[in-house]
Amino acid sequence: MRRGRRTQLRLRRHSYRFAEQVLNSKLALKEEIERAIENLSPDPTDLSRPRFNELLRTKFVSLGWKDQPDVFEDQEDPSARMDFLKERIGMEVGFGHSSFLGIDLLKFQICSYSGLDKIDVGVYIVTTGKFQKDVQRQYKQNWEGSLKFEKLVHYLPHLRSAITIPVYVLGIDT
């Protein structure tokens, strides 16, 4: 990444519990998600976590994704929301602290099996360790403590008895 240039984003992918095969049954939506991220080309000098989150929100809402759908029918708890929902695909953007990993995965699980039956697959968008190091070193953007693609991929198999929904992990890389 160089100063003044737009960043070309690449994706690393991981399929947990056959998530990619589930998404392939809705191939147009899978491609929509991946293209939306890859075609963002953000300004790397302004790539803070909140700014990047807002870029994704604007993009997905413009593509017809429901923004901040409730996880539970009870709307009293504003933190019990997924980031996006469309045609039984739930999506979380994990740019926050890595400690939110379990909470985000439980949102997918709850929305799939706990009588809510809202989603068939979850898509979890995170950044890679390389991405975080690059924006920190070159642009002084603080991504320290953020969940990394590598950590999520490492932990998912250990959660197999609790997280039974398919999860497609997209790692944003440079």
Side-chain angles (χ1 to χ4, degrees):
M1 291 189 283
R2 293 188 193 138
R3 187 169 295 282
R5 291 193 166 202
R6 295 287 177 178
T7 299
Q8 179 60 45
L9 302 176
R10 295 179 301 128
L11 291 175
R12 291 182 60 192
R13 297 160 177 86
H14 177 76
S15 179
Y16 171 76
R17 292 198 180 267
F18 304 102
E20 186 165 21
Q21 288 84 342
V22 174
L23 280 173
N24 283 343
S25 70
K26 297 181 180 199
L27 190 58
L29 278 176
K30 177 186 171 202
E31 291 173 348
E32 176 180 275
I33 294 165
E34 292 179 354
R35 272 194 318 270
I37 298 167
E38 290 173 328
N39 293 337
L40 274 179
S41 300
D43 177 355
T45 62
D46 187 28
L47 209 49
S48 66
R49 290 186 277 189
R51 177 69 182 131
F52 200 179
N53 217 330
E54 188 54 39
L55 288 172
L56 288 172
R57 172 160 279 105
T58 300
K59 184 62 176 178
F60 284 113
V61 169
S62 77
L63 293 169
W65 288 78
K66 185 175 181 184
D67 187 28
Q68 299 290 304
D70 292 314
V71 171
F72 303 111
E73 301 304 320
D74 178 13
Q75 299 174 0
E76 294 292 318
D77 185 0
S79 66
R81 294 192 175 136
M82 270 188 297
D83 287 325
F84 307 104
L85 177 67
K86 186 175 184 180
E87 295 182 33
R88 300 188 57 82
I89 299 172
M91 195 176 332
E92 279 292 318
V93 177
F95 293 166
H97 194 272
S98 62
S99 64
F100 290 107
L101 163 70
I103 293 168
D104 289 343
L105 291 172
L106 280 174
K107 289 178 193 176
F108 290 149
Q109 186 67 30
I110 290 166
C111 284
S112 68
Y113 290 111
S114 298
L116 298 177
D117 195 29
K118 292 180 181 182
I119 65 173
D120 298 320
V121 63
V123 176
Y124 205 152
I125 300 169
V126 294
T127 54
T128 64
K130 178 185 177 299
F131 173 93
Q132 291 179 21
K133 285 179 188 173
D134 286 350
V135 296
Q136 169 66 33
R137 185 180 66 250
Q138 295 179 31
Y139 303 106
K140 307 297 185 239
Q141 296 294 338
N142 183 11
W143 284 71
E144 189 174 332
S146 294
L147 180 60
K148 295 180 178 106
F149 173 82
E150 297 84 358
K151 181 175 185 173
L152 179 55
V153 168
H154 174 77
Y155 273 98
L156 273 171
H158 300 288
L159 302 172
R160 70 181 168 269
S161 65
I163 307 301
T164 58
I165 184 171
V167 178
Y168 192 56
V169 183
L170 293 174
I172 299 173
D173 205 352
T174 54

